[in-house]
Amino acid sequence: MWSLIEKNKNDIIYLSLLLFSVLIGPYYRKLKTVETKKWGGTILGLILIVIVSGYSAVHPVLSAFIGVLAIKLATIKYCHIVTFFFMFGYLFFFRLADKFGFSLSSGQTNLIEMIIVLRVVGVAFEMNGSWLAMAKAKKQNDELVKSVNIEDAGKKVEKDDEFLELINPDFIDLIHYSFSYIGLLTGPYYRYRTFNDYFYLPFSKQADCFGSTIYTLKSVPLYISLYLAFSHMCPLEYVLTEEHNNRSFLYRMMYPWVLFAAFRQRIYAGMTLAESVCTSAGLGAYPVAGKNRTGHGPTVGYSKLKEMSEDEAKSTEYDFITVESMEVWQCESVVTLRDSMKVWNKAVQYWVAMVVYKRFPIKPLKVHAALFVSVIWHGFHAGYFFCIYFCPFYLMAEDIYYKLYYKEATGMKKKIIGFIMWFLRSHSESYQAAAFLLLTFDRIWIYYSSVYFYWYGVWLVFLILGIIFNQIHKMNKSD
């Protein structure tokens, strides 16, 4: 028992701090003034960073300060580019600090630094995006702009799910956003607009924060218990042993299923606790009528929501989808890898889509740019490349079979094909996850060579057959 506690000491401390962040939420929510709330959240965030990181706290603190300074010193036209390269440059230095004569930080500090990168880069792109939107509004509404300033013109634009006004927070508000304790330890990512709405709109006061938190937390003990059971039953290091290599091929092939199951439970527990920090404090509460999306917030009627009175807010139904990272049941049950990717770590996927995919200027390279940034954000280990970069290749084959056999199927046929596709999707994820967990090339090679790299061969055969079947289908259809 004590050896298990010692082995997971850092995780236990991190878990305790997450629980503390959940418990303090109701008290934080009751702080009277906006300034008190902002400074309270920032000071608490800095304290958490120091507790988790010790001397290594200098990294997230310094990178955030310099990143915010870069935002304010660069013009709004270029602040997003400057900030992006600085923050990822610092992340590169942070991860390779031992090469420069400094000590490496803990994995928990790495998680905080990753969130800081998302926030600082994200707000820079948000500011630039609002500036572009306002410039477009100005161009389209010349007569209106002559009589009012650009911010007022933006408010009258009816595309109110994106940018209605110029987003240009001052230095101190950027610091508050960067260091707010809510979501700092392990996410979820949320926009500066969501952060600002928290203080100035009445939704957090009217939403059922306590009920939502209890509902979110109720599954955490199960996730933690399953994680401990799976990781004890099938430890990761076992795949590197001679005993494992002497097992049957079927055993070696299926071993990653348990490894990935343990990993998923750990992620579910962490992400669910992180969501609970938000719901407990009330951040991310928006009326259901806004058709809220993870990371983004309301997608329709945002201008009307901003004008909602206290009385109207009291009779409104709310949700916390804006800060929802995982759809656990969907992660376990969806048929395709494409759908699985949509419900896994949704807030970070939103960030990658908005910051990289939609803004990358070369259309044919958008997907590769998004994948590359996702990889280097996770880390520089070979395992991240093996895991993340294989997804598009699997999707090539999956999309063919989905359209040919599953999409139009009905009844029992659809269930059988769905189960087969679910099994293949789950198996592919488990195979890829082995690389993600083993991290280094030499360790990955040991495991993959023990199973003869079989899944790459299986995928290639599936793809070739899929292309042939698709061509035959097109020929039959044309006849």
Side-chain angles (χ1 to χ4, degrees), residues 18 186 265-275:
L18 275 171
T186 188
Q265 306 314 309
R266 182 178 180 177
I267 297 298
Y268 294 160
M271 291 292 186
T272 303
L273 278 168
E275 290 174 27

Side-chain angles (χ1 to χ4, degrees), residues 314-465:
K314 288 179 182 178
S315 59
T316 299
E317 183 182 358
Y318 296 92
D319 65 39
F320 283 91
I321 290 176
T322 301
V323 291
E324 180 183 62
S325 287
M326 310 290 288
E327 293 182 40
V328 174
W329 176 244
Q330 294 297 313
C331 288
E332 296 293 327
S333 63
V334 293
V335 169
T336 65
L337 178 62
R338 187 175 297 280
D339 286 336
S340 177
M341 292 167 66
K342 290 176 182 177
V343 295
W344 177 271
N345 207 352
K346 296 193 297 179
V348 172
Q349 292 210 51
Y350 169 81
W351 184 94
V352 173
M354 297 304 295
V355 168
V356 186
Y357 184 82
K358 290 190 176 182
R359 300 294 293 271
F360 196 75
I362 307 172
K363 190 174 181 179
L365 299 179
K366 281 178 176 286
V367 172
H368 296 286
L371 289 172
F372 180 75
V373 171
S374 180
V375 167
I376 62 173
W377 179 73
H378 280 90
F380 306 130
H381 292 295
Y384 300 138
F385 284 88
F386 273 94
C387 178
I388 295 172
Y389 256 99
F390 182 73
C391 291
F393 299 103
Y394 180 83
L395 291 173
M396 291 167 61
E398 180 184 75
D399 287 345
I400 294 173
Y401 289 100
Y402 178 86
K403 292 174 183 176
L404 280 179
Y405 302 111
Y406 183 77
K407 188 176 181 180
E408 303 297 331
T410 58
M412 184 57 66
K413 180 181 178 181
K414 192 178 186 76
K415 291 181 180 179
I416 293 172
I417 296 173
F419 174 79
I420 294 171
M421 293 190 70
W422 169 85
F423 179 85
L424 293 173
R425 184 270 296 178
S426 300
H427 197 72
S428 182
E429 287 180 337
S430 300
Y431 186 83
Q432 293 166 248
F436 192 95
L437 295 169
L438 290 167
L439 292 180
T440 61
F441 183 81
D442 57 331
R443 288 157 62 90
I444 295 167
W445 185 268
I446 290 172
Y447 172 68
Y448 276 8
S449 61
S450 76
V451 291
Y452 315 113
F453 302 91
Y454 77 97
W455 192 246
Y456 294 129
V458 170
W459 163 80
L460 187 59
V461 170
F462 278 152
L463 178 61
I464 293 171
L465 289 175

Side-chain angles (χ1 to χ4, degrees), residues 94-206:
F94 168 77
R95 297 247 175 84
L96 299 176
D98 57 328
K99 309 298 181 185
F100 300 95
F102 301 96
S103 59
L104 286 175
S105 302
S106 67
Q108 287 75 19
T109 303
N110 180 58
L111 284 174
I112 293 174
E113 180 64 29
M114 290 166 73
I115 296 300
I116 292 289
V117 168
L118 294 185
R119 289 187 181 181
V120 176
V121 174
V123 71
F125 272 82
E126 211 173 332
M127 291 165 65
N128 176 261
S130 72
W131 175 77
L132 291 174
M134 294 303 100
K136 185 177 180 181
K138 181 179 179 181
K139 186 176 180 180
Q140 294 176 344
N141 300 278
D142 286 335
E143 293 183 3
L144 179 62
V145 174
K146 287 177 183 177
S147 60
V148 296
N149 61 39
I150 193 170
E151 289 89 349
D152 291 334
K155 291 175 185 176
K156 296 180 184 296
V157 178
E158 292 303 322
K159 296 177 180 178
D160 58 356
D161 69 318
E162 190 62 51
F163 298 113
L164 289 177
E165 54 200 356
L166 190 68
I167 297 173
N168 193 14
D170 61 26
F171 184 87
I172 296 300
D173 276 338
L174 287 172
I175 292 297
H176 289 319
Y177 172 62
S178 300
F179 293 118
S180 174
Y181 87 95
I182 305 173
L184 182 62
L185 293 180
T186 188
Y189 167 76
Y190 48 83
R191 300 171 64 183
Y192 175 81
R193 187 181 80 174
T194 301
F195 177 74
N196 193 61
D197 287 348
Y198 174 66
F199 298 105
Y200 296 105
L201 298 184
F203 306 144
S204 64
K205 298 175 184 176
Q206 307 303 332

Side-chain angles (χ1 to χ4, degrees), residues 17-41:
L17 291 174
L18 275 171
L19 287 171
F20 168 77
S21 299
V22 173
L23 294 173
I24 205 171
Y27 303 99
Y28 177 72
R29 198 168 67 245
K30 291 177 183 177
L31 293 176
K32 297 298 182 183
T33 67
V34 169
E35 285 303 305
T36 304
K37 259 188 177 179
K38 286 182 178 180
W39 280 108

